[in-house]
Amino acid sequence: MAQKKYLIAKLTSCLREDKIQLWKPPYTNENKEAGEEMKELAQKYSSKLNINENDAENMLEEIRCKAIERGTGNENFKVTGIARLDIYLPRRKSRKIPLETSLFITGKELRSQIAQEHALKENAIKIIINKKQLDLGRTLEDQGVTHNAKVMVLQLEQSDEETKRKVQEEELQRKKEKDISDKMQRTKKGLEILAEREEYLDPDTTPYLDIANQTGRSIEIPPQAKKALVLAMGYHEKGRALMKKKEYEIALPYLLDADKHFCECSTELLNTVDNYAVLQLDIVWCYFRLEQLDCLDDAEKKLTTAHRCFQRCYGENHERLIDIKGSYGREKVLFLRLYLLQGIGHYHSGREKEAAEYIQKASRLYEELYIDPEKVYRLSLLGFSEQEARLALRACHGNVEHAANLITNRREEKAQIRREERAKRRQRLEDVNTLKSMGYSERAAQVALHHAQGNLDQAFKFILDNPELLLENDDDDDSVAMDQFQVSQESIDQLMYMGFSHESAKQALKVFRGNIHLASQTLAHYGGVLPASLQLSSEGSSPSEESASSKDSPTESAGSSSSQTDEDMETDAVNEILEDIPEHEEDYLDLTLEEEEQIIHEYLSYIQVPQH
């Protein structure tokens, strides 16, 4: 299949060079049949490309027929508005099949048409056009689908035995499709929850995602940019987890979602992390493993983007990596896959010389990065995991002793980072308790300390400068409204003794439900009068009631059984995300290279390696 693509690409290139248009005379007569000159052309090119004459004639005829088909379709589209789409079907001999349709139908109607014409289960396929999942509710035109667009069909079902009864098949398929759909929705929900969570939360009780650099230490990113990056990286990790299981059909939509969210990040941010480059590689790899590279028009552009991004992140000669990690052996696996995909792209485009150059580069890297299983075993006897062993051996050029030292040192570094993080959490907890002892809520204390970067004095001032935080309450029992709270005369007298008016004292005590400490501090900070956002309205409603209620989420309605169910669902969604996030920060570099080895050998057998 790959060889035929290569030869058709070479023939097409020859036709362009010779400015030959097969759909016109003398190569096509008025009945749209092949002219006699086609045989002469086959003889010429078979000799030039050193291929069988019959094969050359058959491939030229295939090119001619497709050109006529495309020309007819173009004329038809101009007259009738009926577009021609190239449908790429999974696991079929004739994989590219034309389909004529209006561009004003919905995505659901197109899916139904494809399913009916090609005996596919409608709910078991996903459609990708222009690297995006087709929106079933919008028209093709609204989604930018044009005449001659390439339509990739993903079949999500697993192959079932032919002998299974039809009813059982459909039931299993409906369940599988529902499971996949539910899982994607849970992933979206879980990532959105994690992206919204703030860093001031206690990770031991409420997990949140942190962004770390290549040494494992947290890096500061503006909140909005961090949200987009967390969503992008979360979808990417989900897709990578599925790629490991070879479930490329299901992985691809997650990777495309990740690509969409990465595009919301600033260029400056994307230039500092290698995640975006790795994602571009993973997307092209997925298309390749699905045998649908033809559907990815910008595969070459994505690979070029990945290469440039690696250079910016690692340095032209990997000098930044060497400064940070001491070596760049682990990252070479990314370049191996990059060179391999670039070589495959060149081969499919008929550029044999470039294909040979890149595939040989990949082959040489494979030889360099191949890990002797005996060395992995020796390191495992020392208590190290296979993953640690592979990564360390590549970083240390196969030296077992150096690899063992590297793993030990890295474990100590990570342990030190964990100790520092625990110390920070202990200090944060102490500071939170200090603010709580002053009468402030736990959430107010957490938010203030986060904004003050842990400075207790500044956190105290931040709370007073942001009166809405003073309304935060850790007590779930807020059944008594502020205006109905009974204030004791003794408390009012205490505040009046401090110099505050009777009305201000009474109002402050109602707002803070009798807490003299909070009432006195707030009145003193605001010159004896509560700020407008804390004052009780004339109707007696509590301050900021509307804004407070607008912040409440459905899951905060205490006491209802549905809220508990929603909370459990959110917890499950978050846990599913966390399960797919690898423990080792360099998991994406831990490729066994078994697939790559097989593909390198396959493509080396296709190309003529230059003799030196």
Side-chain angles (χ1 to χ4, degrees):
M1 185 66 173
Q3 288 172 299
K4 184 181 177 183
K5 278 186 183 177
Y6 164 73
L7 291 173
I8 287 177
K10 292 290 286 183
L11 285 168
T12 304
S13 178
C14 290
L15 291 168
R16 283 202 198 99
E17 287 174 10
D18 295 341
K19 297 180 181 178
I20 292 174
Q21 297 176 323
L22 293 183
W23 60 94
K24 292 182 177 180
Y27 307 103
T28 298
N29 61 29
E30 57 186 19
N31 297 322
K32 295 187 177 179
E33 295 171 346
E36 286 299 317
E37 286 77 359
M38 285 290 288
K39 289 188 177 295
E40 295 176 15
L41 207 57
Q43 289 174 351
K44 174 184 174 182
Y45 288 143
S46 64
S47 175
K48 182 176 180 179
L49 299 177
N50 194 25
I51 58 177
N52 181 278
E53 187 177 325
N54 285 337
D55 290 341
E57 188 174 354
N58 290 336
M59 284 185 276
L60 284 169
E61 177 62 10
E62 186 176 327
I63 294 169
R64 189 187 72 85
C65 289
K66 284 181 180 176
I68 292 171
E69 195 177 85
R70 192 161 48 247
T72 304
N74 291 342
E75 289 298 322
N76 190 42
F77 179 65
K78 287 177 186 176
V79 175
T80 67
I82 298 298
R84 177 187 183 277
L85 305 179
D86 287 332
I87 310 297
Y88 288 79
L89 297 168
R91 305 183 185 94
R92 300 285 176 94
K93 274 191 175 181
S94 300
R95 301 184 61 178
K96 187 172 83 167
I97 298 174
L99 180 143
E100 293 187 344
T101 182
S102 163
L103 296 179
F104 297 101
I105 64 170
T106 63
K108 190 175 189 308
E109 289 172 315
L110 176 64
R111 186 180 72 167
S112 177
Q113 188 176 344
I114 291 171
Q116 287 176 10
E117 290 187 15
H118 303 290
L120 297 169
K121 295 186 178 74
E122 184 174 342
N123 291 330
I125 58 174
K126 281 192 183 296
I127 295 174
I128 307 284
I129 305 179
N130 299 329
K131 303 182 294 299
K132 295 177 185 174
Q133 283 192 70
L134 190 67
D135 187 329
L136 299 181
R138 295 167 58 205
T139 68
L140 303 185
E141 186 182 58
D142 287 345
Q143 298 180 67
V145 179
T146 58
H147 175 58
N148 286 331
K150 295 176 180 178
V151 178
M152 179 178 176
V153 179
L154 295 178
Q155 195 167 4
L156 300 181
E157 64 179 332
Q158 301 293 333
S159 56
D160 294 316
E161 295 175 12
E162 293 292 334
T163 54
K164 281 188 179 179
R165 292 189 328 180
K166 188 175 180 181
V167 176
Q168 289 176 315
E169 268 188 9
E170 290 177 353
E171 186 179 342
L172 286 171
Q173 185 50 46
R174 277 196 299 271
K175 183 178 183 302
K176 179 167 182 163
E177 174 62 20
K178 185 176 184 304
D179 288 346
I180 291 170
S181 176
D182 290 347
K183 186 169 282 191
M184 291 197 76
Q185 288 302 315
R186 285 197 302 274
T187 297
K188 184 173 184 290
K189 180 71 174 173
L191 285 172
E192 286 173 348
I193 293 168
L194 287 167
E196 293 288 349
R197 284 183 176 171
E198 299 283 4
E199 292 176 6
Y200 57 71
L201 295 169
D202 184 354
D204 293 332
T205 56
T206 313
Y208 64 86
L209 293 182
D210 195 17
I211 309 296
N213 62 18
Q214 290 169 327
T215 65
R217 296 187 182 276
S218 299
I219 53 178
E220 290 293 326
I221 298 175
Q224 196 58 36
K226 181 176 178 179
K227 180 179 177 181
L229 191 56
V230 165
L231 287 170
M233 292 172 69
Y235 278 115
H236 190 187
E237 289 298 347
K238 189 71 179 178
R240 286 186 62 250
L242 290 162
M243 285 176 69
K244 285 181 181 178
K245 301 173 187 174
K246 306 291 189 290
E247 295 179 4
Y248 298 110
E249 294 96 337
I250 307 173
L252 185 56
Y254 286 106
L255 299 179
L256 295 175
D257 279 340
D259 199 29
K260 180 180 71 176
H261 287 291
F262 266 121
C263 290
E264 295 170 8
C265 299
S266 67
T267 305
E268 182 184 359
L269 181 61
L270 295 182
N271 287 342
T272 59
V273 294
D274 65 0
N275 305 72
Y276 186 61
V278 176
L279 175 64
Q280 302 311 300
L281 276 186
D282 287 342
I283 289 174
V284 179
W285 186 258
C286 247
Y287 273 97
F288 170 65
R289 297 308 282 162
L290 289 167
E291 300 180 21
Q292 298 284 23
L293 267 181
D294 288 344
C295 292
L296 190 61
D297 291 330
D298 64 346
E300 191 170 337
K301 181 183 174 184
K302 282 188 174 296
L303 296 176
T304 302
T305 298
H307 200 177
R308 287 175 181 164
C309 188
F310 285 141
Q311 287 181 323
R312 284 192 293 265
C313 293
Y314 300 159
E316 287 287 336
N317 299 305
H318 309 102
E319 60 273 8
R320 287 189 63 200
L321 268 183
I322 295 171
D323 286 344
I324 295 169
K325 294 185 173 183
S327 74
Y328 63 94
R330 287 157 290 199
E331 281 72 15
K332 285 184 179 179
V333 295
L334 300 176
F335 288 91
L336 186 155
R337 185 170 278 190
L338 173 66
Y339 297 149
L340 179 55
L341 287 170
Q342 286 176 317
I344 291 168
H346 284 304
Y347 184 78
H348 287 186
S349 299
R351 299 187 289 268
E352 186 178 22
K353 183 180 176 183
E354 292 86 348
E357 178 188 344
Y358 279 96
I359 293 171
Q360 283 180 290
K361 282 172 76 172
S363 180
R364 286 193 293 270
L365 265 183
Y366 172 78
E367 296 298 329
E368 181 183 336
L369 297 173
Y370 172 76
I371 299 296
D372 184 351
E374 175 62 26
K375 292 181 178 180
V376 174
Y377 176 69
R378 284 166 60 188
L379 286 170
S380 70
L381 293 178
L382 298 175
F384 303 131
S385 70
E386 287 189 9
Q387 184 178 66
E388 287 177 314
R390 277 192 296 269
L391 289 168
L393 285 167
R394 283 179 182 144
C396 298
H397 308 291
N399 187 301
V400 176
E401 185 180 346
H402 291 174
N405 290 334
L406 181 67
I407 298 171
T408 302
N409 291 338
R410 184 60 189 138
R411 283 186 173 185
E412 289 174 0
E413 287 171 10
K414 290 165 76 173
Q416 178 61 29
I417 292 172
R418 284 195 294 269
R419 284 193 293 271
E420 291 173 6
E421 291 298 323
R422 281 198 295 270
K424 283 182 186 176
R425 287 203 293 271
R426 279 197 300 271
Q427 185 60 52
R428 180 177 60 195
L429 186 58
E430 289 175 13
D431 292 342
V432 166
N433 288 334
T434 299
L435 290 172
K436 284 176 69 178
S437 70
M438 298 167 69
Y440 304 120
S441 72
E442 183 172 354
R443 175 174 164 76
Q446 290 172 333
V447 172
L449 284 165
H450 176 65
H451 281 274
Q453 296 183 328
N455 186 300
L456 195 57
D457 292 335
Q458 290 181 18
F460 171 68
K461 185 175 183 303
F462 183 85
I463 293 176
L464 292 175
D465 288 341
N466 294 272
E468 67 277 2
L469 287 177
L470 295 167
L471 298 174
E472 296 283 356
N473 194 340
D474 293 330
D475 189 357
D476 290 335
D477 187 11
D478 280 344
S479 55
V480 180
M482 290 179 182
D483 63 305
Q484 296 174 358
F485 185 84
Q486 296 300 312
V487 178
S488 69
Q489 187 59 45
E490 181 183 353
S491 298
I492 295 175
D493 291 342
Q494 284 187 51
L495 289 180
M496 290 179 66
Y497 180 75
M498 296 178 192
F500 304 118
S501 70
H502 179 276
E503 185 57 34
S504 292
K506 183 177 180 181
Q507 194 172 46
L509 287 167
K510 279 182 176 288
V511 167
F512 297 115
R513 290 181 171 80
N515 188 314
I516 294 175
H517 188 68
L518 277 182
S520 62
Q521 282 186 333
T522 307
L523 288 171
H525 186 73
Y526 287 96
V529 180
L530 287 178
S533 59
L534 292 183
Q535 289 183 11
L536 295 170
S537 67
S538 57
E539 288 81 9
S541 61
S542 59
S544 305
E545 192 173 71
E546 290 183 10
S547 62
S549 64
S550 68
K551 290 177 186 175
D552 290 342
S553 68
T555 59
E556 289 170 342
S557 306
S560 71
S561 60
S562 63
S563 68
Q564 183 60 41
T565 304
D566 289 343
E567 188 175 331
D568 290 342
M569 288 173 66
E570 288 188 359
T571 301
D572 290 343
V574 168
N575 288 339
E576 271 195 32
I577 300 296
L578 298 178
E579 284 172 7
D580 285 325
I581 295 177
E583 290 185 18
H584 201 292
E585 70 279 5
E586 292 183 334
D587 178 80
Y588 70 105
L589 301 175
D590 180 35
L591 301 179
T592 63
L593 300 182
E594 291 173 359
E595 283 184 288
E596 287 80 357
E597 178 191 19
Q598 180 183 347
I599 295 163
I600 286 170
H601 288 160
E602 178 186 347
Y603 277 83
L604 280 176
S605 71
Y606 298 155
I607 61 178
Q608 295 179 1
V609 180
Q611 299 297 315
H612 297 286

